[in-house]
């Protein structure tokens, strides 16, 4: 099994290759990094490593456990940096599966700091910006999903599509999580919101709404992460969705296909997915899995096995929805390496790359719209058209828009303007919803001095 990986990440201004191309495609073997190099897992067998139960019970949840795993590979300065971030800035509690931690570069403290997976899974205080750690218009629920709940946890933002948040937990927590107001444990910086209705009643209310809303055809089943839901309950919910005549597309959202592939390789899960796929195919309904991979190094043989196991059940597709993050995947080479690793070696379709949402303390990850536009241009022409990921901006009160779809752009102040052609679930009576321009904001540190001065002079909101 092989993949495309470059030793050194490129930039938009890097020299061309020997054949005159800015990017050179080549295949290289996928590798499962040797977990026994780490002190805490020196005696772990392959059978243990490939056990979903072992992976879940050995997740790293705090500094003490991280030290136990890494031993003396990482300097104490890193742990102090991490401890401060957990106490002062972190919007997500620490939860990293062994599978994910094992893909990080632990060859030195410097390499660990620079590692792209570490940068978004184990953020430290020195990663974050001192000048503009949060945008003035950042928000806990930056996409206003809760405002658009038709019933608790069911966001009806698009005319024909809904998002069903079945649960508020994941097997692993990403630092940039767009649902940081609801998902995971509270942190010193964020007291998380909680669902108020018990799960069985919430899920039945979602199904009832869909049975009586024939204009909805597409359900994203998410959370949290569906891999954290007991399989029997998840299968029952999806099976019930398949009984709703107007539902034609079902998408299961799970970062765990990459972060905990062992879950999706379990016999119970594979058999259950095959039952759902058989019923869906009989009804002409499409089931797909949407995962979340941000860096090529995360694609390992186990991830490829899990993706192909799911495809073998008869579902329509496995697609990737990555997030564009500075220091993680913000160069053309990194994005193309990721896309080819997914497509060629794991059978995962590169689908979307979302711009990081405007949540608190996320400015060090976010890119400006113009940077995203340059990256979209740079990756065109190398991948098949159907597998060229679209870079999208999820605009508050609008939804996903390709980064070139803006209607106007004030580059000096970093304000882009967007329009839409539908009403969200809360705008049925708003006569101006289709005429209004909606604003999105670049990170202030990316602006010219005049733009930064303009934001400094604005009164605090």
């Amino acid at each position: 099994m092989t993949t495309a990986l470059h030793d050194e990440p490129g930039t938009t201004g890097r020299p061309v290759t020997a054949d005159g191309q800015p990017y050179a495609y080549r295949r290289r073997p996928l590798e499962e990094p040797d977990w026994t190099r780490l002190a805490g897992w020196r005696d772990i067998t392959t059978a243990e490593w490939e056990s979903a139960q072992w992976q879940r019970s050995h997740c790293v949840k705090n500094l003490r456990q991280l030290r136990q795993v890494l031993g003396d590979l990482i300097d104490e300065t890193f742990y102090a940096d991490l401890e401060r971030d957990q106490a002062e800035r972190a919007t997500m509690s620490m939860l990293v599966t062994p599978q994910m931690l094992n893909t990080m570069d632990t060859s030195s403290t410097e390499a660990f700091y620079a590692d792209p997976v570490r940068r978004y899974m184990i953020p430290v205080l020195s990663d974050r910006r001192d000048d503009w750690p949060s945008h003035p218009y950042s928000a806990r629920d930056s996409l206003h999903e809760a405002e658009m709940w038709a019933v608790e946890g069911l966001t009806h933002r698009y005319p024909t599509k809904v998002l069903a948040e079945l649960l508020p937990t994941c097997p692993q927590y990403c630092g940039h999580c767009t649902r940081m107001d609801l998902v995971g444990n509270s942190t010193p910086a964020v007291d998380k919101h909680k669902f108020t209705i018990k799960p069985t009643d919430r899920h039945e209310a979602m199904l009832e709404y869909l049975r009586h809303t024939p204009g909805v055809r597409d359900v994203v089943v998410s959370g949290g992460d569906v891999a954290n839901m007991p399989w029997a309950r998840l299968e029952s919910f999806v099976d019930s969705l398949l009984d709703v005549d107007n539902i034609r597309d079902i998408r299961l959202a799970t970062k765990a296909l990459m972060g905990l592939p062992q879950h999706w390789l379990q016999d119970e899960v594979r058999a259950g997915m095959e039952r759902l796929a058989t019923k869906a195919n009989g009804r002409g309904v499409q089931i797909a899995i949407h995962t979340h991979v941000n860096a090529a190094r995360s694609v390992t043989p186990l991830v490829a096995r899990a993706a192909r196991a799911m495809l073998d059940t008869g579902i329509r597709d496995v697609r990737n929805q990555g997030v564009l993050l500075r220091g993680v995947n913000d160069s053309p080479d990194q994005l193309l390496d990721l896309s080819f690793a997914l497509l060629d070696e794991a059978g995962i379709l590169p689908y979307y790359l979302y711009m990081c949402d405007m949540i608190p303390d996320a400015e060090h990850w976010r890119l400006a719209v113009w940077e995203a536009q340059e990256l979209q241009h740079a990756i065109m022409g190398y991948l098949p058209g159907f597998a060229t990921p679209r870079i999208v901006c999820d605009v508050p009160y609008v939804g996903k828009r390709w980064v070139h779809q803006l209607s106007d752009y004030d580059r000096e102040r970093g304000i882009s303007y967007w329009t839409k052609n539908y009403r969200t679930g809360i705008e049925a009576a708003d006569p101006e919803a289709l005429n209004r321009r909606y604003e999105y904001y670049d990170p202030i540190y990316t602006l010219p001095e005049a733009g930064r001065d303009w934001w400094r002079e604005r009164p605090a909101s």
Side-chain angles (χ1 to χ4, degrees):
M1 197 170 290
T2 56
T3 190
L5 284 178
H6 289 267
D7 294 328
E8 296 292 335
T11 66
T12 54
R14 70 180 177 84
V16 297
T17 61
D19 62 355
Q21 301 297 345
Y23 175 84
Y25 169 80
R26 58 187 182 275
R27 298 185 68 187
R28 291 186 178 174
L30 286 185
E31 294 181 3
E32 206 73 51
D34 179 13
W35 57 85
T36 64
R37 77 189 189 282
L38 304 177
W41 300 330
R42 202 155 279 159
D43 300 321
I44 301 306
T45 66
T46 299
E48 288 173 309
W49 188 262
E50 295 187 359
S51 161
Q53 182 178 355
W54 185 92
Q55 288 277 330
R56 287 183 187 274
S57 63
H58 289 83
C59 285
V60 172
K61 302 176 183 178
N62 52 52
L63 273 72
R64 177 183 60 80
Q65 292 175 346
L66 186 63
R67 281 193 181 97
Q68 288 176 342
V69 171
L70 299 183
D72 59 1
L73 292 175
I74 306 301
D75 292 345
E76 185 60 33
T77 52
F78 177 85
Y79 296 112
D81 203 357
L82 175 58
E83 185 172 29
R84 284 197 61 193
D85 193 73
Q86 289 283 301
E88 300 174 26
R89 295 284 187 84
T91 59
M92 301 297 293
S93 56
M94 187 189 302
L95 184 63
V96 187
T97 62
Q99 176 73 26
M100 290 200 73
L101 182 55
N102 190 46
T103 64
M104 300 178 196
D105 188 345
T106 58
S107 60
S108 68
T109 301
E110 293 73 20
F112 196 59
Y113 262 111
D115 185 86
V117 181
R118 194 288 305 166
R119 287 184 63 84
Y120 78 91
M121 287 304 302
I122 310 179
V124 292
L125 190 67
S126 64
D127 292 335
R128 304 189 195 264
R129 297 195 64 88
D130 294 325
D131 49 1
W132 298 99
S134 300
H135 194 279
Y137 288 135
S138 65
R140 288 172 50 130
D141 181 6
S142 65
L143 300 180
H144 307 279
E145 289 178 336
E147 290 180 43
M148 301 178 199
W149 281 351
V151 300
E152 188 177 69
L154 187 74
T155 299
H156 194 167
R157 176 163 54 157
Y158 301 100
T160 63
K161 300 181 285 186
V162 296
L163 165 71
E165 298 171 88
L166 295 190
L167 72 171
T169 65
C170 301
Q172 67 287 302
Y173 292 136
C174 310
H176 63 276
C177 181
T178 190
R179 298 194 184 109
M180 47 73 62
D181 64 319
L182 179 70
V183 171
N185 303 316
S186 294
T187 71
V190 181
D191 187 20
K192 303 295 176 101
H193 295 155
K194 303 293 183 185
F195 288 130
T196 60
I197 304 172
K198 65 181 182 179
T200 52
D201 292 341
R202 282 198 309 105
H203 299 165
E204 182 54 36
M206 293 176 183
L207 292 166
E208 267 306 290
Y209 178 81
L210 295 171
R211 293 179 187 120
H212 293 90
T213 313
V216 173
R217 63 171 301 283
D218 183 351
V219 182
V220 178
V221 183
S222 184
D225 190 314
V226 296
N228 259 25
M229 195 167 182
W231 177 257
R233 287 171 52 197
L234 178 61
E235 184 176 352
S236 175
F237 183 84
V238 177
D239 188 78
S240 296
L241 283 178
L242 290 169
D243 291 332
V244 181
D245 185 63
N246 45 286
I247 302 305
R248 315 310 297 163
D249 270 294
I250 297 171
R251 293 178 271 172
L252 306 181
T254 173
K255 188 185 183 74
L257 190 75
M258 176 273 287
L260 188 65
Q262 294 85 352
H263 170 81
W264 295 98
L265 287 166
Q266 294 177 108
D267 291 342
E268 176 191 25
V269 175
R270 295 166 77 163
M273 282 298 296
E274 189 167 347
R275 288 190 294 269
L276 292 174
T278 299
K279 181 173 180 177
N281 291 335
R283 291 197 60 244
V285 177
Q286 307 287 350
I287 294 181
I289 288 177
H290 282 202
T291 193
H292 175 186
V293 188
N294 291 329
R297 67 187 309 126
S298 296
V299 185
T300 74
L302 272 171
V303 174
R305 276 176 52 193
R308 295 191 185 281
M310 290 298 98
L311 290 170
D312 287 346
T313 67
I315 64 170
R316 171 66 178 84
D317 225 336
V318 178
R319 308 182 186 117
N320 187 59
Q321 297 187 158
V323 176
L324 194 62
L325 299 166
R326 195 178 302 281
V328 176
N329 53 21
D330 57 341
S331 78
D333 282 7
Q334 289 167 327
L335 293 182
L336 288 168
D337 283 352
L338 169 61
S339 298
F340 282 120
L342 291 166
L343 182 66
D344 292 351
E345 316 312 336
I348 299 173
L349 185 71
Y351 178 44
Y352 276 147
L353 285 161
Y354 288 85
M355 297 184 67
C356 181
D357 290 319
M358 292 176 54
I359 57 168
D361 286 302
E363 290 304 274
H364 65 292
W365 283 309
R366 292 205 309 125
L367 275 69
V369 169
W370 64 266
E371 293 176 291
Q373 291 174 333
E374 288 187 353
L375 285 168
Q376 183 74 83
H377 176 78
I379 66 174
M380 299 299 290
Y382 289 94
L383 291 147
F386 68 87
T388 301
R390 290 169 286 180
I391 301 180
V392 295
C393 181
D394 210 340
V395 182
Y397 293 116
V398 175
K400 293 182 288 294
R401 286 291 183 267
W402 300 342
V403 290
H404 287 87
Q405 276 189 279
L406 44 74
S407 63
D408 200 4
Y409 193 3
D410 181 343
R411 284 280 297 271
E412 181 173 291
R413 296 176 179 178
I415 306 174
S416 49
Y417 300 89
W418 309 76
T419 59
K420 62 183 179 182
N421 59 332
Y422 50 79
R423 290 179 170 84
T424 64
I426 59 174
E427 294 171 323
D430 183 353
E432 294 302 315
L434 304 188
N435 302 319
R436 187 179 297 115
R437 296 200 308 175
Y438 298 82
E439 298 176 347
Y440 182 83
Y441 304 94
D442 290 343
I444 293 172
Y445 69 89
T446 66
L447 307 181
E449 190 60 35
R452 282 177 277 167
D453 286 342
W454 185 80
W455 281 102
R456 290 189 191 103
E457 293 164 5
R458 287 177 64 80
S461 58

